[in-house]
Each structure stands twice: as structure tokens, then as C-alpha cells.
Amino acid sequence: MKRLSYFLILLFSYSNLFAQLYEQSVRSIVEALATDSLEKAKGMIEQTIRLDPMKPSNAILYQYLGGIYQKQGQNEKALDAYGKGLELSPASLDILLNRASLYLQLNNEERALNDYNKVLEAQQDNEEALFFRAFIHSQARRNKEARNDYKRLLELNPMHEDGRLGLAILNNKDGRPREAMEQLDALVQFFPNHAKHYLARCGLYIEKKEYEKAKKDIGMALELEPDNPECYLTRASLYLAMKKKKLAQQDCKTAIKLGVTPEAVTSVLGI
């Protein structure tokens, strides 16, 4: 009996020591992440997971690990880490959102949509999932579904900037240019220092052949963000509409210098 008691005491002490070691490791990981020491944090995460591979709280460690791999451009390893985290915690909305974001980044809209659907099944008012699901539907020309998600999002948060912009763009695509223009006018009024709204409105003015108004908007966008390549691509589109091909080509060259791919420029020039 004494032997059994002694064994139980040893077992309890070992378990307590193991728990302290695990908790200390997690604290060290958080500290490394806070100082942006990604390689150090990655090594510590892998080491901590090995202490107890099936521990449910490892899910958040896999989430951190996936985030590190994603930042480093190791997308397959990031997806694997998120997948392992979800095996331990299938209902983790944070991991689902992270993985969906990566799928979207990789142009895998179908899998991203699947993850956003899972989030919204668990939390129907999740703003991030509503916005990106609306975006995916819009890209796939499922305008009714996109509109429903944007409307729900704006019911929850009437000043959701990207949601308002997304709905304006959708309205223009869906044959509602007047609504789109009214919504973009409101966005420019609410967020006068955000170039993206001037760029979107400039696009509508180009379509309407109101070139002077378009020139004012692109001028404001460039004043706000002179190093934004989208500004130069948008102005190139304006110049092309105005039959000023040389000026359009100059802006396309500037956009490439600022990081735009040649393929994007080719689509603007129509060649």
C-alpha cells in the first residue's frame, strides 16, 4: 500500500512538473511571437507539441505555427498546420478563418468558401466570414447570394467600410449604377482620406465617360497614396479611354516598378 502511495505521489509530481514545463513553453512562444522572432517561435512550438502531441490546447500552437509558415510563404506547411489544429479542435473559428484566408490567397475559392460556411454555421453574425463569403459569391457572379451577405453584414455594422465598398461594386456589376454611385459618394464623404474609394468612383466615371470627374478622383487618390500602383493602373485606364495611349503606357511602367505584375498591366492595355 505504501509502495502504491509513493508511486502515486511520484506520478502526481511528474504530471505537475510536466504541466509547468508545458505552460512555460507556451509563455516563451508568446514572448517570441511578440518580438517577431519567428524562427525561434517555430522551433519552440514544434518542441512543445512533441511534449504531448494529442493535448487539445495544442490546437492554438498549430494556429501559431500555421501563421508563421504563412508569413514565410510556406503555404503547404501552413495548411498542414491549420489542418492538424482543426483535428484537435474542429470548432475553432480562428483556425477556420485563418485557413480560409490562406485558401483565398491561393485562389482556392471553393475551399475558402467551405471554411467560411463552417464559421457561419457556428456563428451566423461573424463579420469577417460574411464579408469574404460575399466577395467570393460576387467573384463567381452569384450576385443574389453576395447581396444577401453584404446586406446582413451592413445590418450588423452599418459603417463596415469594405462591406459598403463591396456592395457598391456589386451594384455596378449588377446593373444598378445609380445605387453604386450614391454609395461611392457616401464612402468618399465618410472616408475622405482613403484612396480606394476615389479609385472605385473613378472607374464608374470612366464607364460613364465623365472624364473630368474621373481625373479629379484619380488626382485625389494619387495625392493620398502616390506609391499605390493601383492608382497608376486606374489612371492608365482613364488615359486609354481618352485615347492617350502614350500616357497610359507611362503609367503602366510606373505600376510595374511599384510591384504590379506584367499580366495585370497587359489586361489594362488590352493586349
Side-chain angles (χ1 to χ4, degrees), residues 232-241 243-257 265-266 268-271:
Y232 295 94
L233 285 182
T234 302
R235 192 168 67 177
S237 297
L238 172 59
Y239 283 144
L240 282 175
K243 312 296 184 187
K244 298 181 179 181
K245 192 167 184 179
K246 285 187 177 179
L247 290 174
Q249 289 173 336
Q250 289 175 12
D251 273 350
C252 285
K253 287 178 182 178
T254 302
I256 288 174
K257 288 179 182 177
V265 168
T266 297
V268 169
L269 293 175
I271 56 176

Side-chain angles (χ1 to χ4, degrees), residues 153-167:
L153 173 61
L154 294 174
E155 285 172 3
L156 296 168
N157 181 1
M159 292 306 291
H160 192 290
E161 185 177 357
D162 288 333
R164 292 173 72 104
L165 179 59
L167 182 58

